[in-house]
Amino acid sequence: MKIPSMILTATVVGPLWLVWSRGKRRSTDLTIIILATTVALLAIAAPALAELPTPVSAATAITYLSTLKVEPQRSLIGYSRVRFLHWITISGTCDTRETVLKRDGNNVVTDTACKAVSGQWVSPYDGVTSNNARELDIGHIVPLPEAWASGADTWDDAQRKAFANDLTQPALLAVSAKSNRSKGDKDPAEWMPPLASFHCVYVRAWVQVKYTYQLSVDSAEKTKLSSVLAEC
């Protein structure tokens, strides 16, 4: 966001001139004003990260993780994305993808078919800002192949469809296509978001989804999840 020079002048230069000209403040007061003004301007200019439903606390995630079955990942034989039907209609003409784009974006405008024609999104995986919805993927926190290899291979197609389109759990979010494709079907032992500030939210969401759907974890995955949760 570009802030007009008049606003910057009135916000920063004006107060500093008054302080200096009156000679009643110390240099520390100038520092406080500069810092406060900088924080305020950053708050105005910085778009918010995408927001998925708030995952459980770290303490709860640790408890959930302790109950999950630990076993080697199963074979991907038989896996196909079409076995996890998505995207489905959520409301009116809006499908799951379009619903997440509206939820996670700022000032999102849609057409009559519910396609996002403008807006701004910040990918929580890597902090990349985009004004074009086509540059975004709707990522599954727990990737579909990972879910299949952790127990979803035994589900019926209706349950797999519910998993793939779940807007209640912290299961879906709008992320940069580059980061989502870098992630692929990897679990946290193999891939973590480049943006370290999102790690805690990410593993809490991962554990909540696996717990909700009673999916297993492998030993390396559990070790990594435990390590990150311990630092949350």
Side-chain angles (χ1 to χ4, degrees):
M1 177 184 297
K2 183 177 181 180
I3 301 173
S5 58
M6 289 179 63
I7 294 177
L8 286 172
T9 300
T11 305
V12 181
V13 178
L16 293 179
W17 172 258
L18 288 174
V19 169
W20 177 82
S21 63
R22 291 174 181 174
K24 295 180 179 180
R25 304 286 185 182
R26 296 178 300 174
S27 60
T28 52
D29 295 316
L30 293 175
T31 302
I32 291 171
I33 292 174
I34 293 171
L35 290 174
T37 303
T38 301
V39 170
L41 292 176
L42 288 174
I44 293 171
L49 291 174
E51 292 187 4
L52 74 170
T54 303
V56 296
S57 67
T60 299
I62 290 170
T63 299
Y64 284 179
L65 180 59
S66 70
T67 71
L68 296 181
K69 184 177 182 180
V70 180
E71 63 179 6
Q73 284 199 335
R74 305 178 189 185
S75 169
L76 285 176
I77 292 175
Y79 167 77
S80 171
R81 287 180 67 84
V82 301
R83 302 294 300 275
F84 294 81
L85 181 61
H86 65 292
W87 307 113
I88 62 173
T89 299
I90 299 299
S91 177
T93 60
C94 300
D95 65 18
T96 314
R97 172 182 168 83
E98 293 151 355
T99 301
V100 175
L101 284 172
K102 288 199 295 183
R103 182 198 71 190
D104 290 356
N106 295 305
N107 303 315
V108 177
V109 176
T110 59
D111 62 17
T112 56
C114 202
K115 301 295 183 184
V117 296
S118 65
Q120 186 177 69
W121 295 265
V122 182
S123 168
Y125 282 175
D126 53 9
V128 172
T129 299
S130 176
N131 297 313
N132 185 350
R134 294 180 180 178
E135 297 175 348
L136 302 166
D137 283 352
I138 303 305
H140 290 88
I141 289 287
V142 176
L144 302 182
E146 168 71 21
W148 179 275
S150 303
D153 59 329
T154 65
W155 299 349
D156 60 27
D157 287 342
Q159 189 170 3
R160 283 190 280 265
K161 179 174 74 172
F163 175 88
N165 299 276
D166 191 348
L167 295 173
T168 303
Q169 301 298 321
L172 298 168
L173 74 172
V175 295
S176 68
K178 180 180 179 180
S179 65
N180 195 49
R181 292 164 199 185
S182 170
K183 171 181 173 176
D185 62 357
K186 303 179 184 72
D187 69 31
E190 305 164 306
W191 186 91
M192 286 290 288
L195 199 61
S197 59
F198 191 65
H199 285 184
C200 187
V201 173
Y202 184 73
V203 297
R204 285 157 50 206
W206 181 284
V207 171
Q208 182 174 339
V209 171
K210 284 222 162 178
Y211 176 82
T212 299
Y213 286 92
Q214 286 300 288
L215 297 171
S216 64
V217 293
D218 63 42
S219 58
E221 175 188 356
K222 183 173 183 178
T223 296
K224 179 64 175 182
L225 291 167
S226 297
S227 174
V228 178
L229 286 170
E231 299 298 321
C232 287

